PDB file of all heavy atoms in Angstrom:
ATOM      1  N   ASP B1108       5.764  21.046 -30.696  1.00 98.00           N
ATOM      2  CA  ASP B1108       4.395  21.615 -30.544  1.00 98.00           C
ATOM      3  C   ASP B1108       3.310  20.557 -30.724  1.00 98.00           C
ATOM      4  O   ASP B1108       3.399  19.613 -31.466  1.00 98.00           O
ATOM      5  CB  ASP B1108       4.293  22.783 -31.570  1.00 98.00           C
ATOM      6  CG  ASP B1108       5.001  24.017 -31.218  1.00 98.00           C
ATOM      7  OD1 ASP B1108       5.615  24.013 -30.119  1.00 98.00           O
ATOM      8  OD2 ASP B1108       5.035  24.859 -32.011  1.00 98.00           O
ATOM      9  N   TYR B1109       2.262  20.718 -30.004  1.00 98.00           N
ATOM     10  CA  TYR B1109       1.157  19.915 -30.187  1.00 98.00           C
ATOM     11  C   TYR B1109      -0.076  20.824 -30.438  1.00 98.00           C
ATOM     12  O   TYR B1109      -0.191  21.873 -29.818  1.00 98.00           O
ATOM     13  CB  TYR B1109       0.788  19.031 -28.909  1.00 98.00           C
ATOM     14  CG  TYR B1109       1.693  17.882 -28.833  1.00 98.00           C
ATOM     15  CD1 TYR B1109       3.002  17.977 -28.307  1.00 98.00           C
ATOM     16  CD2 TYR B1109       1.351  16.598 -29.469  1.00 98.00           C
ATOM     17  CE1 TYR B1109       3.828  16.883 -28.247  1.00 98.00           C
ATOM     18  CE2 TYR B1109       2.214  15.578 -29.436  1.00 98.00           C
ATOM     19  CZ  TYR B1109       3.476  15.707 -28.864  1.00 98.00           C
ATOM     20  OH  TYR B1109       4.332  14.609 -28.827  1.00 98.00           O
ATOM     21  N   GLN B1110      -0.876  20.468 -31.420  1.00 98.00           N
ATOM     22  CA  GLN B1110      -1.891  21.274 -32.026  1.00 98.00           C
ATOM     23  C   GLN B1110      -3.235  20.764 -31.559  1.00 98.00           C
ATOM     24  O   GLN B1110      -3.484  19.516 -31.609  1.00 98.00           O
ATOM     25  CB  GLN B1110      -1.888  21.426 -33.501  1.00 98.00           C
ATOM     26  CG  GLN B1110      -2.818  22.468 -34.080  1.00 98.00           C
ATOM     27  CD  GLN B1110      -2.427  22.694 -35.483  1.00 98.00           C
ATOM     28  OE1 GLN B1110      -1.607  22.126 -36.174  1.00 98.00           O
ATOM     29  NE2 GLN B1110      -3.120  23.749 -36.006  1.00 98.00           N
ATOM     30  N   ILE B1111      -4.080  21.666 -31.143  1.00 98.00           N
ATOM     31  CA  ILE B1111      -5.438  21.264 -30.675  1.00 98.00           C
ATOM     32  C   ILE B1111      -6.244  21.006 -32.047  1.00 98.00           C
ATOM     33  O   ILE B1111      -6.258  21.859 -32.927  1.00 98.00           O
ATOM     34  CB  ILE B1111      -6.197  22.316 -29.873  1.00 98.00           C
ATOM     35  CG1 ILE B1111      -5.332  22.532 -28.611  1.00 98.00           C
ATOM     36  CG2 ILE B1111      -7.591  21.983 -29.436  1.00 98.00           C
ATOM     37  CD1 ILE B1111      -5.899  23.753 -27.748  1.00 98.00           C
ATOM     38  N   THR B1112      -6.897  19.869 -32.106  1.00 97.00           N
ATOM     39  CA  THR B1112      -7.618  19.529 -33.342  1.00 97.00           C
ATOM     40  C   THR B1112      -9.091  19.923 -33.223  1.00 97.00           C
ATOM     41  O   THR B1112      -9.623  20.299 -32.128  1.00 97.00           O
ATOM     42  CB  THR B1112      -7.574  17.964 -33.585  1.00 97.00           C
ATOM     43  OG1 THR B1112      -8.378  17.255 -32.630  1.00 97.00           O
ATOM     44  CG2 THR B1112      -6.160  17.485 -33.598  1.00 97.00           C
ATOM     45  N   ALA B1113      -9.809  19.749 -34.320  1.00 95.00           N
ATOM     46  CA  ALA B1113     -11.219  20.154 -34.390  1.00 95.00           C
ATOM     47  C   ALA B1113     -12.086  19.216 -33.471  1.00 95.00           C
ATOM     48  O   ALA B1113     -13.100  19.590 -33.024  1.00 95.00           O
ATOM     49  CB  ALA B1113     -11.704  20.041 -35.772  1.00 95.00           C
ATOM     50  N   SER B1114     -11.563  17.989 -33.241  1.00 91.00           N
ATOM     51  CA  SER B1114     -12.407  17.066 -32.351  1.00 91.00           C
ATOM     52  C   SER B1114     -12.035  17.337 -30.881  1.00 91.00           C
ATOM     53  O   SER B1114     -11.439  16.559 -30.240  1.00 91.00           O
ATOM     54  CB  SER B1114     -12.124  15.602 -32.641  1.00 91.00           C
ATOM     55  OG  SER B1114     -11.314  15.422 -33.716  1.00 91.00           O
ATOM     56  N   SER B1115     -12.478  18.452 -30.432  1.00 92.00           N
ATOM     57  CA  SER B1115     -12.202  19.002 -28.995  1.00 92.00           C
ATOM     58  C   SER B1115     -13.409  19.684 -28.481  1.00 92.00           C
ATOM     59  O   SER B1115     -14.020  20.392 -29.375  1.00 92.00           O
ATOM     60  CB  SER B1115     -11.048  19.965 -29.077  1.00 92.00           C
ATOM     61  OG  SER B1115      -9.809  19.353 -29.516  1.00 92.00           O
ATOM     62  N   ASP B1116     -13.738  19.351 -27.310  1.00 94.00           N
ATOM     63  CA  ASP B1116     -14.982  20.023 -26.727  1.00 94.00           C
ATOM     64  C   ASP B1116     -14.767  20.105 -25.225  1.00 94.00           C
ATOM     65  O   ASP B1116     -13.666  19.968 -24.731  1.00 94.00           O
ATOM     66  CB  ASP B1116     -16.227  19.227 -27.153  1.00 94.00           C
ATOM     67  CG  ASP B1116     -16.091  17.707 -26.688  1.00 94.00           C
ATOM     68  OD1 ASP B1116     -15.266  17.374 -25.775  1.00 94.00           O
ATOM     69  OD2 ASP B1116     -16.871  16.861 -27.227  1.00 94.00           O
ATOM     70  N   ARG B1117     -15.870  20.232 -24.512  1.00 96.00           N
ATOM     71  CA  ARG B1117     -15.689  20.439 -23.054  1.00 96.00           C
ATOM     72  C   ARG B1117     -15.282  19.131 -22.362  1.00 96.00           C
ATOM     73  O   ARG B1117     -14.803  19.203 -21.213  1.00 96.00           O
ATOM     74  CB  ARG B1117     -17.140  20.809 -22.396  1.00 96.00           C
ATOM     75  CG  ARG B1117     -17.530  22.252 -22.647  1.00 96.00           C
ATOM     76  CD  ARG B1117     -18.916  22.487 -22.145  1.00 96.00           C
ATOM     77  NE  ARG B1117     -19.121  21.975 -20.800  1.00 96.00           N
ATOM     78  CZ  ARG B1117     -18.873  22.617 -19.689  1.00 96.00           C
ATOM     79  NH1 ARG B1117     -18.485  23.833 -19.695  1.00 96.00           N
ATOM     80  NH2 ARG B1117     -18.993  21.988 -18.550  1.00 96.00           N
ATOM     81  N   MET B1118     -15.355  17.988 -23.060  1.00 96.00           N
ATOM     82  CA  MET B1118     -14.863  16.696 -22.399  1.00 96.00           C
ATOM     83  C   MET B1118     -13.263  16.686 -22.583  1.00 96.00           C
ATOM     84  O   MET B1118     -12.740  16.121 -21.605  1.00 96.00           O
ATOM     85  CB  MET B1118     -15.451  15.536 -23.174  1.00 96.00           C
ATOM     86  CG  MET B1118     -16.813  15.046 -22.775  1.00 96.00           C
ATOM     87  SD  MET B1118     -17.403  13.642 -23.601  1.00 96.00           S
ATOM     88  CE  MET B1118     -16.486  12.325 -22.766  1.00 96.00           C
ATOM     89  N   GLY B1119     -12.791  17.182 -23.615  1.00 96.00           N
ATOM     90  CA  GLY B1119     -11.371  17.150 -23.722  1.00 96.00           C
ATOM     91  C   GLY B1119     -10.947  17.610 -25.181  1.00 96.00           C
ATOM     92  O   GLY B1119     -11.726  17.790 -26.026  1.00 96.00           O
ATOM     93  N   TYR B1120      -9.620  17.813 -25.131  1.00 97.00           N
ATOM     94  CA  TYR B1120      -8.968  18.243 -26.480  1.00 97.00           C
ATOM     95  C   TYR B1120      -8.086  17.185 -27.047  1.00 97.00           C
ATOM     96  O   TYR B1120      -7.298  16.550 -26.320  1.00 97.00           O
ATOM     97  CB  TYR B1120      -8.044  19.468 -26.234  1.00 97.00           C
ATOM     98  CG  TYR B1120      -8.652  20.732 -25.925  1.00 97.00           C
ATOM     99  CD1 TYR B1120      -7.881  21.790 -25.414  1.00 97.00           C
ATOM    100  CD2 TYR B1120     -10.017  20.916 -25.874  1.00 97.00           C
ATOM    101  CE1 TYR B1120      -8.323  23.050 -25.100  1.00 97.00           C
ATOM    102  CE2 TYR B1120     -10.620  22.123 -25.523  1.00 97.00           C
ATOM    103  CZ  TYR B1120      -9.708  23.186 -25.109  1.00 97.00           C
ATOM    104  OH  TYR B1120     -10.302  24.409 -24.801  1.00 97.00           O
ATOM    105  N   ARG B1121      -8.427  16.705 -28.241  1.00 96.00           N
ATOM    106  CA  ARG B1121      -7.537  15.860 -28.910  1.00 96.00           C
ATOM    107  C   ARG B1121      -6.395  16.569 -29.624  1.00 96.00           C
ATOM    108  O   ARG B1121      -6.697  17.665 -30.270  1.00 96.00           O
ATOM    109  CB  ARG B1121      -8.357  14.986 -30.004  1.00 96.00           C
ATOM    110  CG  ARG B1121      -9.212  13.984 -29.374  1.00 96.00           C
ATOM    111  CD  ARG B1121     -10.070  13.335 -30.477  1.00 96.00           C
ATOM    112  NE  ARG B1121     -11.024  12.390 -29.836  1.00 96.00           N
ATOM    113  CZ  ARG B1121     -10.671  11.183 -29.555  1.00 96.00           C
ATOM    114  NH1 ARG B1121      -9.471  10.649 -30.024  1.00 96.00           N
ATOM    115  NH2 ARG B1121     -11.450  10.331 -28.957  1.00 96.00           N
ATOM    116  N   LEU B1122      -5.195  16.213 -29.359  1.00 97.00           N
ATOM    117  CA  LEU B1122      -4.030  16.896 -29.946  1.00 97.00           C
ATOM    118  C   LEU B1122      -3.424  16.166 -31.079  1.00 97.00           C
ATOM    119  O   LEU B1122      -3.632  14.947 -31.268  1.00 97.00           O
ATOM    120  CB  LEU B1122      -2.979  17.121 -28.759  1.00 97.00           C
ATOM    121  CG  LEU B1122      -3.484  17.709 -27.566  1.00 97.00           C
ATOM    122  CD1 LEU B1122      -2.289  17.847 -26.515  1.00 97.00           C
ATOM    123  CD2 LEU B1122      -4.110  19.097 -27.819  1.00 97.00           C
ATOM    124  N   GLU B1123      -2.633  16.868 -31.898  1.00 97.00           N
ATOM    125  CA  GLU B1123      -1.914  16.330 -33.041  1.00 97.00           C
ATOM    126  C   GLU B1123      -0.501  16.758 -32.969  1.00 97.00           C
ATOM    127  O   GLU B1123      -0.225  17.923 -32.672  1.00 97.00           O
ATOM    128  CB  GLU B1123      -2.539  16.843 -34.272  1.00 97.00           C
ATOM    129  CG  GLU B1123      -2.408  15.878 -35.430  1.00 97.00           C
ATOM    130  CD  GLU B1123      -3.169  16.483 -36.572  1.00 97.00           C
ATOM    131  OE1 GLU B1123      -2.967  17.473 -37.196  1.00 97.00           O
ATOM    132  OE2 GLU B1123      -4.225  15.833 -36.931  1.00 97.00           O
ATOM    133  N   GLY B1124       0.380  15.809 -32.939  1.00 98.00           N
ATOM    134  CA  GLY B1124       1.801  16.104 -32.994  1.00 98.00           C
ATOM    135  C   GLY B1124       2.588  14.786 -32.971  1.00 98.00           C
ATOM    136  O   GLY B1124       2.102  13.849 -33.470  1.00 98.00           O
ATOM    137  N   GLU B1125       3.929  14.837 -32.577  1.00 98.00           N
ATOM    138  CA  GLU B1125       4.729  13.666 -32.547  1.00 98.00           C
ATOM    139  C   GLU B1125       3.927  12.543 -31.756  1.00 98.00           C
ATOM    140  O   GLU B1125       3.467  12.782 -30.670  1.00 98.00           O
ATOM    141  CB  GLU B1125       6.005  14.018 -31.867  1.00 98.00           C
ATOM    142  CG  GLU B1125       6.890  14.903 -32.595  1.00 98.00           C
ATOM    143  CD  GLU B1125       7.706  14.146 -33.691  1.00 98.00           C
ATOM    144  OE1 GLU B1125       8.180  12.960 -33.480  1.00 98.00           O
ATOM    145  OE2 GLU B1125       7.937  14.791 -34.773  1.00 98.00           O
ATOM    146  N   SER B1126       3.982  11.364 -32.429  1.00 97.00           N
ATOM    147  CA  SER B1126       3.319  10.271 -31.789  1.00 97.00           C
ATOM    148  C   SER B1126       4.003   9.803 -30.467  1.00 97.00           C
ATOM    149  O   SER B1126       5.223   9.793 -30.412  1.00 97.00           O
ATOM    150  CB  SER B1126       3.285   9.045 -32.743  1.00 97.00           C
ATOM    151  OG  SER B1126       2.557   8.080 -32.228  1.00 97.00           O
ATOM    152  N   LEU B1127       3.233   9.454 -29.419  1.00 97.00           N
ATOM    153  CA  LEU B1127       3.884   9.024 -28.212  1.00 97.00           C
ATOM    154  C   LEU B1127       3.651   7.570 -27.992  1.00 97.00           C
ATOM    155  O   LEU B1127       2.512   7.021 -28.273  1.00 97.00           O
ATOM    156  CB  LEU B1127       3.290   9.838 -27.008  1.00 97.00           C
ATOM    157  CG  LEU B1127       3.243  11.383 -27.220  1.00 97.00           C
ATOM    158  CD1 LEU B1127       2.508  12.015 -26.107  1.00 97.00           C
ATOM    159  CD2 LEU B1127       4.743  11.829 -27.028  1.00 97.00           C
ATOM    160  N   GLU B1128       4.700   6.838 -27.473  1.00 96.00           N
ATOM    161  CA  GLU B1128       4.493   5.496 -27.295  1.00 96.00           C
ATOM    162  C   GLU B1128       5.151   4.941 -25.953  1.00 96.00           C
ATOM    163  O   GLU B1128       6.193   5.496 -25.514  1.00 96.00           O
ATOM    164  CB  GLU B1128       4.832   4.594 -28.405  1.00 96.00           C
ATOM    165  CG  GLU B1128       6.365   4.866 -28.943  1.00 96.00           C
ATOM    166  CD  GLU B1128       6.582   4.334 -30.207  1.00 96.00           C
ATOM    167  OE1 GLU B1128       5.605   4.252 -31.115  1.00 96.00           O
ATOM    168  OE2 GLU B1128       7.798   3.960 -30.479  1.00 96.00           O
ATOM    169  N   LEU B1129       4.567   3.806 -25.500  1.00 96.00           N
ATOM    170  CA  LEU B1129       5.106   3.205 -24.201  1.00 96.00           C
ATOM    171  C   LEU B1129       6.339   2.453 -24.692  1.00 96.00           C
ATOM    172  O   LEU B1129       6.445   1.906 -25.843  1.00 96.00           O
ATOM    173  CB  LEU B1129       4.109   2.368 -23.669  1.00 96.00           C
ATOM    174  CG  LEU B1129       2.789   3.023 -22.987  1.00 96.00           C
ATOM    175  CD1 LEU B1129       1.743   2.052 -22.778  1.00 96.00           C
ATOM    176  CD2 LEU B1129       3.209   3.731 -21.724  1.00 96.00           C
ATOM    177  N   ASP B1130       7.250   2.218 -23.777  1.00 95.00           N
ATOM    178  CA  ASP B1130       8.385   1.326 -23.999  1.00 95.00           C
ATOM    179  C   ASP B1130       7.915  -0.218 -24.191  1.00 95.00           C
ATOM    180  O   ASP B1130       8.325  -0.828 -25.101  1.00 95.00           O
ATOM    181  CB  ASP B1130       9.312   1.299 -22.811  1.00 95.00           C
ATOM    182  CG  ASP B1130      10.564   2.219 -23.172  1.00 95.00           C
ATOM    183  OD1 ASP B1130      10.902   2.393 -24.385  1.00 95.00           O
ATOM    184  OD2 ASP B1130      11.160   2.782 -22.172  1.00 95.00           O
ATOM    185  N   GLN B1131       6.989  -0.490 -23.327  1.00 93.00           N
ATOM    186  CA  GLN B1131       6.374  -1.848 -23.370  1.00 93.00           C
ATOM    187  C   GLN B1131       4.911  -1.668 -23.224  1.00 93.00           C
ATOM    188  O   GLN B1131       4.451  -0.834 -22.489  1.00 93.00           O
ATOM    189  CB  GLN B1131       6.893  -2.701 -22.048  1.00 93.00           C
ATOM    190  CG  GLN B1131       8.378  -2.711 -21.797  1.00 93.00           C
ATOM    191  CD  GLN B1131       9.022  -3.962 -22.304  1.00 93.00           C
ATOM    192  OE1 GLN B1131       8.374  -5.000 -22.096  1.00 93.00           O
ATOM    193  NE2 GLN B1131      10.026  -3.955 -22.963  1.00 93.00           N
ATOM    194  N   PRO B1132       4.124  -2.654 -23.739  1.00 87.00           N
ATOM    195  CA  PRO B1132       2.663  -2.506 -23.530  1.00 87.00           C
ATOM    196  C   PRO B1132       2.461  -2.691 -22.089  1.00 87.00           C
ATOM    197  O   PRO B1132       3.059  -3.409 -21.334  1.00 87.00           O
ATOM    198  CB  PRO B1132       2.048  -3.716 -24.256  1.00 87.00           C
ATOM    199  CG  PRO B1132       3.225  -4.360 -25.094  1.00 87.00           C
ATOM    200  CD  PRO B1132       4.549  -3.782 -24.611  1.00 87.00           C
ATOM    201  N   LEU B1133       1.343  -2.010 -21.515  1.00 85.00           N
ATOM    202  CA  LEU B1133       1.019  -2.081 -20.141  1.00 85.00           C
ATOM    203  C   LEU B1133      -0.372  -2.490 -19.972  1.00 85.00           C
ATOM    204  O   LEU B1133      -1.228  -2.204 -20.708  1.00 85.00           O
ATOM    205  CB  LEU B1133       1.079  -0.570 -19.567  1.00 85.00           C
ATOM    206  CG  LEU B1133       2.422  -0.098 -19.016  1.00 85.00           C
ATOM    207  CD1 LEU B1133       2.182   1.354 -18.627  1.00 85.00           C
ATOM    208  CD2 LEU B1133       2.872  -0.871 -17.834  1.00 85.00           C
ATOM    209  N   GLU B1134      -0.602  -3.367 -18.933  1.00 77.00           N
ATOM    210  CA  GLU B1134      -1.970  -3.780 -18.659  1.00 77.00           C
ATOM    211  C   GLU B1134      -2.526  -2.727 -17.537  1.00 77.00           C
ATOM    212  O   GLU B1134      -1.990  -2.659 -16.527  1.00 77.00           O
ATOM    213  CB  GLU B1134      -2.074  -5.129 -18.134  1.00 77.00           C
ATOM    214  CG  GLU B1134      -3.591  -5.670 -18.214  1.00 77.00           C
ATOM    215  CD  GLU B1134      -3.817  -6.847 -17.381  1.00 77.00           C
ATOM    216  OE1 GLU B1134      -2.870  -7.388 -16.778  1.00 77.00           O
ATOM    217  OE2 GLU B1134      -4.959  -7.280 -17.382  1.00 77.00           O
ATOM    218  N   LEU B1135      -3.422  -1.896 -18.002  1.00 85.00           N
ATOM    219  CA  LEU B1135      -3.915  -0.855 -17.088  1.00 85.00           C
ATOM    220  C   LEU B1135      -5.427  -1.135 -16.767  1.00 85.00           C
ATOM    221  O   LEU B1135      -6.152  -1.486 -17.707  1.00 85.00           O
ATOM    222  CB  LEU B1135      -3.747   0.465 -17.747  1.00 85.00           C
ATOM    223  CG  LEU B1135      -2.366   1.005 -17.778  1.00 85.00           C
ATOM    224  CD1 LEU B1135      -2.245   2.299 -18.645  1.00 85.00           C
ATOM    225  CD2 LEU B1135      -1.699   1.281 -16.418  1.00 85.00           C
ATOM    226  N   PHE B1136      -5.808  -0.842 -15.555  1.00 89.00           N
ATOM    227  CA  PHE B1136      -7.191  -1.063 -15.193  1.00 89.00           C
ATOM    228  C   PHE B1136      -7.788   0.371 -15.108  1.00 89.00           C
ATOM    229  O   PHE B1136      -7.090   1.362 -14.830  1.00 89.00           O
ATOM    230  CB  PHE B1136      -7.329  -1.713 -13.886  1.00 89.00           C
ATOM    231  CG  PHE B1136      -6.564  -3.067 -13.765  1.00 89.00           C
ATOM    232  CD1 PHE B1136      -5.642  -3.219 -12.696  1.00 89.00           C
ATOM    233  CD2 PHE B1136      -6.782  -3.982 -14.654  1.00 89.00           C
ATOM    234  CE1 PHE B1136      -4.978  -4.448 -12.630  1.00 89.00           C
ATOM    235  CE2 PHE B1136      -6.153  -5.119 -14.563  1.00 89.00           C
ATOM    236  CZ  PHE B1136      -5.265  -5.363 -13.550  1.00 89.00           C
TER     237      PHE B1136
END
Side-chain angles (χ1 to χ4, degrees):
Chain B
D1108 289 353
Y1109 283 85
Q1110 189 165 7
I1111 299 175
T1112 68
S1114 359
S1115 296
D1116 55 21
R1117 283 175 47 91
M1118 278 183 77
Y1120 290 171
R1121 284 174 185 271
L1122 306 182
E1123 204 171 71
E1125 291 280 322
S1126 184
L1127 304 173
E1128 53 195 29
L1129 294 163
D1130 259 335
Q1131 308 260 318
L1133 273 177
E1134 197 197 358
L1135 291 172
F1136 308 125

